[in-house]
Amino acid sequence: LYKSYFGVDNDISVACCGSNISAYQVSLLKNLGVDEIIIAFDREGENDDKKKYISKFYRINDKFKNEVNISFIYDKDGKYLDYKDSPIDKGKEVFLKLFKERIII
């Protein structure tokens, strides 16, 4: 979907297969020369627990902060994404809004 919005030549997206990221995945991305990993997990529940999400973001950041900058795209107010939606599922404009408001720890 990212490719269809921003073009094949601008595609910077990869799947992480679940709502976590491994040391191996971070290593692969670092070896490609990335400066920042922007994580955009799907919305996991109908009534997301904001504290649970933020806690997960901090755990991931703590694990990899010495290796790479990490930020998180998250619908903080629950206004844009439905259950199981990815931040890009609701269109380019919503994605860009959430991207601008991403959480940088």
Side-chain angles (χ1 to χ4, degrees), residues 22-60:
S22 71
Y24 179 70
Q25 290 166 317
V26 169
S27 175
L28 287 173
L29 292 169
K30 280 181 39 189
N31 288 337
L32 291 172
V34 301
D35 296 323
E36 179 183 7
I37 296 173
I38 304 166
I39 296 175
F41 292 140
D42 293 356
R43 183 168 172 189
E44 291 180 353
E46 295 197 36
N47 297 311
D48 287 336
D49 181 352
K50 191 173 183 176
K51 287 181 183 182
K52 177 181 164 189
Y53 266 94
I54 301 300
S55 176
K56 178 185 263 189
F57 297 158
Y58 271 93
R59 280 193 312 275
I60 292 169

